[in-house]
Coordinates of all heavy atoms in Angstrom, one line a residue:
Chain B
T443 N 20.7 139.6 60.3 CA 20.3 138.3 59.7 C 19.9 138.5 58.3 O 20.3 137.8 57.3 CB 19.2 137.6 60.5 OG1 19.6 137.5 61.9 CG2 18.9 136.2 60.0
L444 N 19.1 139.6 58.1 CA 18.6 139.9 56.8 C 19.7 140.2 55.8 O 19.8 139.6 54.7 CB 17.6 141.1 56.9 CG 17.0 141.6 55.6 CD1 16.2 140.5 54.9 CD2 16.1 142.9 55.8
A445 N 20.7 141.0 56.3 CA 21.8 141.3 55.4 C 22.6 140.1 55.1 O 23.1 139.9 54.0 CB 22.7 142.3 56.2
A446 N 22.8 139.2 56.1 CA 23.6 138.0 55.9 C 22.9 137.1 54.8 O 23.6 136.5 53.9 CB 23.8 137.2 57.2
V447 N 21.6 136.9 54.9 CA 20.9 136.0 54.0 C 21.0 136.6 52.6 O 21.3 135.9 51.6 CB 19.4 135.9 54.4 CG1 18.6 135.2 53.3 CG2 19.3 135.1 55.7
L448 N 20.8 138.0 52.5 CA 20.9 138.6 51.2 C 22.4 138.5 50.6 O 22.6 138.3 49.4 CB 20.5 140.0 51.2 CG 18.9 140.2 51.5 CD1 18.6 141.6 51.8 CD2 18.1 139.7 50.3
D449 N 23.4 138.7 51.5 CA 24.8 138.6 51.1 C 25.1 137.2 50.5 O 25.9 137.1 49.6 CB 25.7 138.8 52.3 CG 25.9 140.2 52.7 OD1 25.4 141.1 51.9 OD2 26.4 140.5 53.8
H450 N 24.4 136.2 51.0 CA 24.6 134.8 50.5 C 23.6 134.4 49.5 O 23.3 133.2 49.4 CB 24.7 133.9 51.7 CG 25.9 134.1 52.5 ND1 27.2 133.8 52.1 CD2 26.1 134.7 53.7 CE1 28.1 134.2 53.0 NE2 27.4 134.7 54.0
G451 N 23.0 135.3 48.8 CA 22.0 135.0 47.7 C 20.9 134.2 48.2 O 20.3 133.4 47.4
G452 N 20.4 134.4 49.4 CA 19.3 133.7 49.9 C 19.6 132.3 50.6 O 18.7 131.7 51.1
S453 N 20.9 132.0 50.6 CA 21.2 130.7 51.2 C 21.2 130.8 52.7 O 22.0 131.5 53.3 CB 22.6 130.2 50.7 OG 23.1 129.3 51.7
T454 N 20.2 130.2 53.4 CA 20.1 130.2 54.8 C 21.2 129.5 55.5 O 21.7 129.8 56.6 CB 18.7 129.7 55.3 OG1 18.5 128.4 54.7 CG2 17.6 130.7 54.9
G455 N 21.7 128.4 54.8 CA 22.8 127.6 55.4 C 24.0 128.4 55.5 O 24.7 128.5 56.6
Q456 N 24.4 129.1 54.4 CA 25.6 129.9 54.5 C 25.5 131.1 55.4 O 26.5 131.5 56.1 CB 26.0 130.4 53.0 CG 26.5 129.3 52.1 CD 26.6 129.8 50.7 OE1 26.7 130.9 50.4 NE2 26.6 128.8 49.8
A457 N 24.3 131.7 55.4 CA 24.1 132.8 56.4 C 24.3 132.3 57.8 O 24.9 133.0 58.6 CB 22.7 133.4 56.2
A458 N 23.7 131.1 58.1 CA 23.8 130.6 59.5 C 25.3 130.4 59.8 O 25.7 130.7 60.9 CB 23.1 129.3 59.6
A459 N 26.1 129.9 58.8 CA 27.5 129.6 59.1 C 28.2 131.0 59.4 O 29.0 131.0 60.3 CB 28.1 128.9 57.9
Q460 N 27.9 132.0 58.6 CA 28.6 133.3 58.8 C 28.2 133.9 60.2 O 29.1 134.4 60.9 CB 28.1 134.3 57.7 CG 28.9 135.6 57.8 CD 28.1 136.7 57.1 OE1 27.6 136.5 56.0 NE2 28.0 137.9 57.7
L461 N 26.9 133.7 60.6 CA 26.5 134.3 61.8 C 26.9 133.4 63.0 O 26.8 133.8 64.2 CB 25.0 134.5 61.8 CG 24.5 135.5 60.8 CD1 22.9 135.4 60.6 CD2 24.9 136.9 61.2
G462 N 27.2 132.2 62.7 CA 27.6 131.3 63.8 C 26.4 130.7 64.6 O 26.5 130.5 65.8
V463 N 25.3 130.6 63.9 CA 24.1 130.0 64.6 C 23.6 128.8 63.8 O 24.1 128.6 62.7 CB 23.0 131.1 64.7 CG1 23.4 132.3 65.6 CG2 22.6 131.6 63.3
H464 N 22.6 128.1 64.3 CA 22.1 127.0 63.6 C 21.1 127.5 62.5 O 20.6 128.6 62.6 CB 21.3 126.1 64.6 CG 21.0 124.7 64.0 ND1 19.8 124.5 63.3 CD2 21.7 123.6 64.0 CE1 19.8 123.2 62.9 NE2 20.9 122.6 63.4
R465 N 21.0 126.7 61.4 CA 20.2 127.1 60.3 C 18.8 127.3 60.7 O 18.1 128.2 60.2 CB 20.3 126.0 59.2 CG 19.6 126.4 58.0 CD 20.0 125.5 56.8 NE 19.1 125.7 55.7 CZ 18.0 124.9 55.5 NH1 17.7 124.0 56.3 NH2 17.2 125.1 54.4
N466 N 18.3 126.5 61.7 CA 16.9 126.7 62.1 C 16.7 128.0 62.7 O 15.6 128.6 62.6 CB 16.5 125.6 63.1 CG 16.3 124.2 62.4 OD1 16.3 124.2 61.2 ND2 16.3 123.2 63.2
T467 N 17.7 128.5 63.4 CA 17.6 129.9 64.0 C 17.4 130.9 62.9 O 16.6 131.8 63.0 CB 18.9 130.2 64.8 OG1 19.2 129.1 65.6 CG2 18.7 131.5 65.6
V468 N 18.2 130.8 61.8 CA 18.1 131.7 60.7 C 16.7 131.6 60.1 O 16.0 132.6 59.8 CB 19.2 131.4 59.6 CG1 19.0 132.3 58.4 CG2 20.6 131.7 60.2
L469 N 16.2 130.4 60.0 CA 14.9 130.2 59.4 C 13.8 130.9 60.3 O 12.9 131.5 59.8 CB 14.6 128.7 59.2 CG 15.3 128.0 58.1 CD1 15.1 126.5 58.1 CD2 14.9 128.6 56.7
G470 N 14.0 130.7 61.6 CA 13.0 131.3 62.5 C 13.0 132.8 62.4 O 12.0 133.5 62.4
R471 N 14.3 133.4 62.3 CA 14.4 134.9 62.2 C 13.7 135.3 60.9 O 13.1 136.4 60.9 CB 15.8 135.3 62.3 CG 16.4 135.2 63.7 CD 17.9 135.7 63.6 NE 18.5 135.3 64.9 CZ 19.9 135.4 65.1 NH1 20.6 135.8 64.1 NH2 20.4 135.1 66.2
L472 N 14.0 134.6 59.8 CA 13.4 135.0 58.6 C 11.8 135.0 58.7 O 11.2 135.9 58.1 CB 13.8 134.0 57.5 CG 15.1 134.3 56.7 CD1 15.3 133.3 55.6 CD2 15.0 135.7 56.0
E473 N 11.3 134.0 59.4 CA 9.8 134.0 59.6 C 9.4 135.3 60.3 O 8.4 136.0 59.9 CB 9.4 132.8 60.5 CG 9.3 131.5 59.7 CD 8.4 131.7 58.5 OE1 7.2 132.2 58.6 OE2 8.9 131.4 57.4
R474 N 10.2 135.8 61.3 CA 9.8 137.0 62.0 C 9.9 138.2 61.1 O 9.2 139.1 61.2 CB 10.7 137.1 63.2 CG 10.5 136.0 64.3 CD 10.3 136.5 65.7 NE 11.5 137.3 66.1 CZ 12.7 136.8 66.4 NH1 12.9 135.5 66.3 NH2 13.6 137.6 66.8
I475 N 11.0 138.2 60.2 CA 11.2 139.3 59.3 C 10.0 139.4 58.4 O 9.4 140.4 58.1 CB 12.5 139.1 58.5 CG1 13.7 139.3 59.5 CG2 12.6 140.1 57.3 CD1 15.0 138.9 58.9
R476 N 9.6 138.2 57.9 CA 8.4 138.2 57.0 C 7.2 138.7 57.7 O 6.3 139.4 57.2 CB 8.2 136.7 56.5 CG 9.2 136.3 55.5 CD 8.7 135.1 54.7 NE 9.7 134.7 53.7 CZ 10.6 133.7 54.0 NH1 10.6 133.1 55.2 NH2 11.6 133.4 53.1

Side-chain angles (χ1 to χ4, degrees):
Chain B
T443 308
L444 179 58
V447 171
L448 291 169
D449 281 349
H450 291 287
S453 159
T454 49
Q456 287 172 21
Q460 182 201 318
L461 294 169
V463 296
H464 195 270
R465 183 163 169 269
N466 286 348
T467 311
V468 174
L469 288 172
R471 285 181 192 167
L472 270 181
E473 275 312 304
R474 297 226 304 286
I475 290 168
R476 288 201 181 91

